[in-house]
Amino acid sequence: MLSKIFASIAVAITGSILLYGVSDFPAFGDPNSPASAGVPGSESVSLYFIEESYKDTKVPNLVTSVLADYRGYDTMFETVVIFAAGMAIFAILRVVGNDGEEKRATSLEDSFTNGDHSRIIVGTTVRIVVPVIQLFALYVIAHGHHSPGGGFQGGVILGASFIIIALSENLNAALRRLSEQNYVRLAAIGILIYAAFGVMAQILGKNFLDYGVLEPLLFTDGPEMARSHSMLGVEVGVAFTVTAIMFAIYANLSSRGQLEKGL
Amino acid sequence: MAEFIHENIEPYFNYWVYVIIMMIGLWALIAKNNLIKKLIGLSIFQTAIILFYVSMGVKEEATIPILDHHGHEVAASEHRLFVEEDGQKPAEGDHAQAEHHQAEDHDDHATNPDLIANPLPHVLMLTAIVVGVATLGVALSISQMIFKEFGSLEENEILEEIKASASDG
Amino acid sequence: MVDQIPALLVLAPLFGALLVALVGQRDHRVCFPIAIASLSVTLIGAIAAAQHVFANGPMNYFVGGWEKPLGIGIHLRIDALNALLLIAIATVAVLVTFFSIRRVGEKNAEKTHYFYVLFLLLCLGLFGITIAGDAFNLFVLIEVSSLTSYGLIAMGSSRRGTYAAFNYVLMGTVGASFYLLGVGYLYLTTGSLNMQDIHSILGTNPEIASSKAVTIAFIFILVGIWIKMAFFPLYGWLPNAYSYCPSSTACLLAPLMTKVSVYVMIRVMVSVFGLEWVFVSLGWSHLVVWLAVIAILSGSVLALAQREIKKMLCYLIVAEVGYMVGGAWLADEGLWGMTGALYHILADAAMTLCLFLAAGIFVKRHGAREISDLEGMFKKSPWVMAAFIVGALAMIGVPPTCGFFSKFYLIRGGIDAGHWEYVAALLISSLVNAVLFFRIIEIAFFGNKPAEGHDHSHDDHEEATEIAAPHSAPPVWSGNLPLFASAIIIVLLGVFNGQVVALIRTFLEDLPAVAAHF
């Protein structure tokens, strides 16, 4: 009861402060709001992105170019956040050895051969669907420059394909395809790829993540296309990490850190 | 009343909604007894912020921040590349047409910025979504540990258990 | 080469963490060398950066080379305000790495590499927060450091620690979300995320600076950071989270997390909103100083009531946060309060490190978790107790330790600003600290058990996880080296306080129109 009273007070205070500020806002959907068009006397960041970013990077998807190039430093640490979350979950949950719980794993192959037909439809469907999902995931990763998509979205889809395997058969079946050792490695390699693009630029004498200077390494004509290609590279790195950690979070949460059988 | 709504709520509808959703989340976060429900509240709370940011980037009648390639003066080879890829996604054709006319007027500024949504809030929220997922994952794993150690996810039961183990040694 | 240092500061721990993740699961012995190497690189980088800053002025680093117009890319900045803090963070991180050698190997040996990965990522987050010049980038790095600290607190702690970690997750996320919300309000009104850019927009557009949305942005940013630093009404999560987690985690988090949050608050006040706006237009300095007074007093009183050493130290942190927030908000003419707060960030990092290390060693070697367990500690480990006393004297504020000088500057600011309640709170808190620590010293020296008998057998099942089995006992130097180093730093900071304060003042005196407005 006390917590409800406290909650009501906190909500009332916070909510009224926020609503008090709303009347001062530019109207919803106003193209000339400061956020969209800047304030007089200073150059608008948003307008710069809309007008200039295609010239800078030759990437028509503005969200991708801002995400992976202009604010690439943010995005690298966003990937690090995912990586850190994965590591934190392993550190908290992972139980090595079986810690008292009996082994329950009987793989689907066993149940098939044992005549358990209840999962045949699900299992067969998943086997057909998973390659399609994975192909689509690769498309989303690779096509982030031109349509909605990119490393995070594609990585989540790719991670989901492993989770579907784990759901339809069991966790071991999915772990056979992406083992614990490998998903930790994959996650680290993803960020390494990202950071390597940045460090290469440093080695070539520019600032961290200045992709334009990678032109001779990527065999492109002009720094713009070098930026575009580098963005694809870092998106692939992001996808590695996201895939690995998404699956790893599921695997650890569903099996309480035992990595046995799961749900 | 109607006047108040017309003047103060209608132009800021999204902002009112985000505050209300956020307060629902905050209330659940503080008042709920079950730890998982608290986490649901936390997620609602974070999602409301995403709604707020995305609302900032909205422009009336604008489209998603993906440019149409035809509007630009691109080198011939690149142009071919884009044409091929456009063939794969005809769904964007509608607004592409609209921009096309805009674009032809001035080639340097190939697009009318009023017709393209502000990309920056989208980028920021992509980050915030990822952060939200990461936090939720860690919080769920901690609550799993709590369940393992206390055998309960109800806050009052956990607190009683802590009190009991502290007093009887 | 020098101009790449800002990137190096975050990249060295990042590559360290990735390397540990890649090779650490096969062989745990490589974790420590990698960690110490990457943090040493960072320490050297921080020192080089500080030299450069004090010789040539602030360093600006534009990631990806996106410099103009300001704000399209991410801006990293090292100036006199954060150069010293960077050295402090790197030093504490290196010292705690030594302390962590034995810590992790015992229980959960198979998780050693996860510990080091999280540890390095936490350092990375703190460095990133310190050099961030972009308001949103600051949020991302706050989340990096928070997520890793949730993991570090929850891993291998007792069950009360796990529950404390859960509360910490809730509070920490709400704090970060409030910060994000405040940044959103700023972006909505100014259209920029770069701190310098926002500052100049607010400075040149008085109608924006006086709008409701900017005030609300400031409130939410401030409250968000206060939650992170455990300022007075919002400190509930800190004592449990820091006192029930493994010692090496506590030794890293306690000296750094709250101080870096204080730095973020000062950075936001100085570099985003501007002191003139905060002190003159808003005019809340009295309110915040009173809150700080309550924080100091409540922290001190609650510390008196504790039986456990670590928990007592945690409540002292709450009081110390009150010192710094109050000092930063004193708004006296010469900004001596701000000077004291910035100096105290460094001093308090050293003091807290020393005390937490000593507390960790007591638990480790003698199983002494409570104050009464310290009986006869002077005989058992005289040197550790000596270092503990140095830390205690600094907490009380005895010259020539750094604690005395930070209090001296804070009190000078308080007198200049006419905030006598703050001066009184500082003196009372010093008195309480003296009582606290002399009680401990008395018990440790004379070994008389206090009259009120209590069974200190409770919590034994929780402590058990921390006490080293004899055969796996770590090398003694791994604990003593960082402890003595921190004690020496306390004294050195105190002896050379004039130089350190002069460096801090170079920043504050450069602030535009500081003297003109107060």
Side-chain angles (χ1 to χ4, degrees), chain A residues 14-26 33-36 38-46 48-49 56-57 66 69-78 80-96 180-189 191-192 195-196 198-199 202 205-211 227, chain C residues 3-4 6-8 10-11 14-15 17-18 21-22 25-26 61-66 68-74 76 108 110-111 113-115 117-118 121 124 128 131 134-138 140-141 143-144 147-148 150-152 154-156 162 178 181 185 187-193 197 201 204-205 207-208 210-214 216 219-220:
Chain A
T14 323
S16 50
I17 291 176
L18 287 173
L19 286 181
Y20 173 72
V22 162
S23 60
D24 226 18
F25 282 8
S33 67
S36 298
V39 293
S42 80
E43 200 160 348
S44 165
V45 176
S46 162
Y48 178 90
F49 289 143
D56 284 342
T57 62
V66 176
D69 194 348
Y70 296 97
R71 300 190 72 87
Y73 182 75
D74 260 359
T75 309
M76 188 176 88
F77 286 112
E78 190 183 340
V80 171
V81 166
I82 287 271
F83 180 69
M87 290 296 141
I89 291 171
F90 306 151
I92 295 165
L93 276 184
R94 188 74 183 95
V95 186
V96 176
E180 187 191 11
Q181 221 178 28
N182 285 342
Y183 64 58
V184 174
R185 279 189 193 141
L186 192 64
I189 288 171
I191 300 177
L192 266 183
V199 172
Q202 278 181 305
K206 285 292 184 74
N207 278 1
F208 186 61
L209 290 176
D210 193 343
Y211 306 132
R227 292 205 182 94
Chain C
D3 58 323
Q4 296 294 330
L8 176 84
V10 290
L11 285 176
L14 176 66
F15 279 112
L18 295 177
L22 280 174
Q25 53 183 342
R26 187 166 293 167
Y61 189 87
F62 294 93
V63 183
W66 298 113
K68 293 252 174 315
L70 193 60
I72 56 165
I74 308 262
L76 307 180
N108 296 328
E110 70 282 353
K111 287 186 187 173
H113 63 292
Y114 293 137
F115 172 86
V117 172
L118 291 174
L121 290 179
L124 155 86
I131 59 176
D134 184 280
F136 189 81
N137 183 241
L138 187 62
V140 177
L141 284 150
E143 283 294 347
V144 171
L147 271 171
T148 47
Y150 305 150
L152 283 172
M155 83 179 280
T162 316
F178 274 0
L181 197 61
Y185 273 55
Y187 177 62
L188 185 93
T189 45
T190 64
S192 182
L193 290 166
D197 203 19
I201 288 173
T204 49
N205 296 285
E207 76 283 5
I208 292 177
S210 60
S211 69
K212 283 183 252 172
V214 170
I216 291 169
I219 295 173
F220 275 89

Side-chain angles (χ1 to χ4, degrees), chain C residues 243-310:
Chain C
S243 53
Y244 294 115
C245 67
S247 292
S248 48
T249 306
C251 287
L252 186 64
L253 290 177
L256 293 182
M257 280 300 264
T258 50
K259 277 68 186 177
V260 170
S261 309
V262 173
Y263 159 77
V264 172
M265 183 189 76
I266 292 175
R267 171 63 85 190
V268 167
M269 285 163 64
V270 172
S271 298
V272 179
F273 290 89
L275 287 179
E276 191 198 339
W277 187 89
V278 173
F279 291 150
V280 181
S281 312
L282 207 59
W284 289 349
S285 123
H286 285 274
L287 182 74
V288 179
V289 171
W290 270 105
L291 274 179
V293 168
I294 302 171
I296 296 169
L297 295 179
S298 63
S300 300
V301 169
L302 285 168
L304 264 182
Q306 300 305 316
R307 289 187 310 203
E308 284 176 42
I309 305 166
K310 271 200 208 164

